[in-house]
Amino acid sequence: MNGLNGSFPFPGLCELKKLQELDIRYNSFQGTLPPCLNNLTSLRILDLHDNLFSGSIPRNSIPSPNFLQYMDISGNDFEGSFSFSSIFNHSKLEVVILGSTENKLQFDNENQARNPLFQLKVLLLSNCNMKTAPNFLLNQHRLREVDLSHNKLNGVFPSWLLQNNSDLKFLNVRNNSFTGRFDLPLHPMNRMVYIDVSCNHLEGQLPKDLGMKLSNLEFLNFSKNYFEGELPPSTGGMRKLQRLDLSFNNFSGQVPKELAAYCTSLDILVLSNNKFHGEIFSSNFNWSIRPEELKLGNNQFTGSLTANKDFYSALRVFDIRNNMMAGKIPSGMADIKVLFTRNNYFEGQFPCNEHFRSAIIDFSHNFLSGPLPSCFDMYGIQQIHLQGNNFTGSIPNSLLKSTTLSVLNLRDNSLSGEIPALIGALPDLRILLLGNNRLSGLIPRQLCQLIEISILDLSNNSFSGSIPSCLSNITFGTTNNLYYSFNIAPEPSFAQYDMDQADKEDENLLRSHSTYTSLKGIMLSEIVEVVIDFVTKSSLLSYKGDVLNYMSGLDLSCNNLTGKIPQNLGKLFSIRALNLSHNHLIGSIPISFSNLAKLESLDLSYNSLSGKIPPEIVNLNFLEVFSVAHNNLSGRIPDKGQFATFDSSSYEGNPFLSGLPVERNRTKIAETPSDESKEQWYEIDRTFFFASFTGTYVVFLLGFGTLLYINPYWRRRWFYLIENFLYSSYYFVVDTLGRLSTNFNN
């Protein structure tokens, strides 16, 4: 841990035959493992993890089996194949930690005809590209820590690991493909403190005696499986439980009252994305716990929130979104850092009788009313989501004084008045959504000061005047990770648990392996995920996570904007969606739009634009949606690049455009068409056909009659031809009848 680098081994290292401990972890040594490590016949501890070693692991580079107890070579760039049988003779081996940073190291656990001489206490094989669990595990009976996470293991869940190792404390098989049920052994697992079986394919109901057999459990993660049924009441017996994650399963029924009443050490409770129901905050629930993080989102919970302020005193993350809860927002939640209540039925005014010190507030899609709340800590608030409520009045200046605000989402309310000039004083604002309100006035030039903006939505309002050309000052780049993070308590290491005398003797050997750090990080990353609704590609889409980080757009549609489209908008090089439709814009389409190389959606429909469609914009290779319908454009429609994919709906309502594309969704001609579709390929407009035919015929007759009238020579020739035709026809008929009569008489 000294930042050392260079080649390995050091001169003279392999001659230290009495060396007992070699610990060079957390450095930058490189090269391959030298065979001379086998000369270190007295070595007990070999710790090389988190360096830059590479190449294969030769069998003869493993130190002598005489004394070796601890081997950690993980966190390097090893490749090739490693056979577990190469360490089977190390009878004193107790700790084995293997792995490769690039997942290039393959582990051979197939040809293991004999059992190893060791009995391991710790086996950590995370990220080892294994498809099956090592066979020798069947003969291990002293295991305390097992980590097989992030592999490709499949088959039935290895419940025999629990059955064979009664002293097991730590089990992590996260992110594999295990199937079947989660079965517990017949005997209690009193020493078990950590179980993570998340991200597998486990199914069925949980054991009814779960809490009785795992009474000392502190960490339990069953998330992202296919478990179903009700939670057993015995979960209340896990009174030392600190973190419980059951999210993304098919659990149903009501949450056991015993869980809320007796698990008083519970800091993190995650029940989201299941089918739980009932009034979880009713008076029948005796919430003895004071959790720091409580996730109940995406269930079917009903009822109102508890009015007990003490319940919220320790909460830092509270997520109840997408349920059916109702009532008023109670007081006492001002200190919650991340607060999600979106998509419920809460009503009334926002509780501004206290000053909110939250970092993220999301009350979107409820029935809150009254003026916009402004009781937020402007020095700590990062995101405000109040979309889809019934807020009225103007946007208060006090809401725009934050130096940390990155998202302001006020869409779909009944706000009125003008955008305050103070809007330009939000230096970190990246997403501003004011669409579908009753705002009016000019678009303030102060918006141009928000140079970090990536998504700006002013659509469906009554803004007037011209589009500020200074909007080109905004980069409309990426949002750069709209996640909220805060300091959390450090995870407990192995040495922090109660140890018996045997454990204490091995404390130096069984050092902290950072195996307790994954669960909480996973919970936080999902809790603070931002969801943004934005119209692009003619649809209202929801963006979140990494997709949101790459989205950028400007929507000024459905207003009363006038004047020309500023040429400077062609400087928005990173923008992906631009919507100026349903306004009163005039002039031509700027040629500078050809510079918008990342543009995916461009909507200029329902304006009064004129002139040609600039042929230069055919270079927009990522354009998926394009519409200039209902304008006054003229000239020929581009038909190259992406423009060869747009149908006539993109251009309708422009009578002077030529070269309209053929409908691309027309039914293709089959080799043997059926009766229903036989005429589809040549069907024409009959009214148009007869009208054009009659008009053409009348014009021809009038023109021909005029020619005969003004030219006597052609008039005589015409009459002469008619006379000859009549005489010829007469003699032909008489001759034909005479022949027929003669033949008949004969």
Side-chain angles (χ1 to χ4, degrees), residues 206 210 218-223 231-232 235-236 238 241-248 251 254-274 276 280-281 285-299 301 311 314-321 323 338 519-520 522-524 526-527:
L206 297 182
L210 179 71
E218 298 182 15
F219 302 84
L220 180 57
N221 190 349
F222 282 156
S223 66
L231 278 184
T235 53
M238 297 185 288
L241 195 63
Q242 297 177 23
R243 296 167 190 174
L244 174 62
D245 189 348
L246 306 177
S247 61
F248 293 94
F251 289 116
Q254 297 191 22
V255 177
K257 301 174 184 178
E258 293 82 358
L259 178 66
Y262 302 126
C263 295
T264 55
S265 298
L266 201 58
D267 292 329
I268 297 177
L269 176 59
V270 184
L271 305 179
S272 57
N273 295 88
N274 282 285
F276 290 116
I280 193 169
F281 294 109
F285 269 84
N286 180 19
W287 281 92
S288 300
I289 64 175
R290 295 294 180 265
E292 295 181 10
E293 301 173 18
L294 180 59
K295 284 187 66 176
L296 307 175
N298 293 289
N299 280 286
F301 290 119
F311 175 77
L315 267 178
R316 293 182 297 172
V317 178
F318 189 33
D319 182 1
I320 54 173
R321 58 183 148 184
N323 279 285
V338 180
L519 180 62
K520 190 156 187 172
I522 293 166
M523 289 181 176
L524 284 176
E526 293 177 352
I527 286 174

Side-chain angles (χ1 to χ4, degrees), residues 503-521:
D503 288 338
K504 291 178 181 179
E505 292 176 358
D506 292 335
E507 182 175 345
N508 292 329
L509 179 65
L510 303 179
R511 58 192 65 185
S512 172
H513 309 301
S514 300
T515 48
Y516 292 92
T517 58
S518 60
L519 180 62
K520 190 156 187 172

Side-chain angles (χ1 to χ4, degrees), residues 332-367:
M333 296 193 292
D335 290 323
I336 299 176
K337 292 297 182 182
V338 180
L339 180 56
F340 285 100
T341 68
R342 65 183 295 147
N343 285 320
N344 279 283
Y345 299 96
F346 295 115
E347 58 185 4
Q349 294 192 6
F350 195 89
C352 266
N353 55 338
E354 52 189 346
H355 196 67
F356 276 75
R357 288 169 287 276
S358 304
I360 298 179
I361 289 279
D362 189 349
F363 284 85
S364 300
H365 302 290
N366 281 281
F367 295 91

Side-chain angles (χ1 to χ4, degrees), residues 5-64:
N5 54 42
S7 59
F8 182 83
F10 327 117
L13 175 66
C14 294
E15 299 175 5
L16 302 175
K17 295 186 178 182
K18 294 185 178 181
L19 184 68
Q20 295 189 16
E21 181 171 349
L22 177 58
D23 185 351
I24 58 171
R25 54 182 167 162
Y26 298 118
N27 284 290
S28 299
F29 291 112
Q30 51 189 320
T32 59
L33 290 185
C36 68
L37 288 179
N38 191 257
N39 298 335
L40 304 177
T41 55
S42 300
L43 198 66
R44 295 177 59 248
I45 296 176
L46 175 65
D47 195 340
L48 310 179
H49 82 269
D50 282 282
N51 278 278
L52 301 175
F53 294 116
S54 58
S56 60
I57 304 176
R59 179 184 292 264
N60 58 0
S61 66
I62 304 298
S64 171

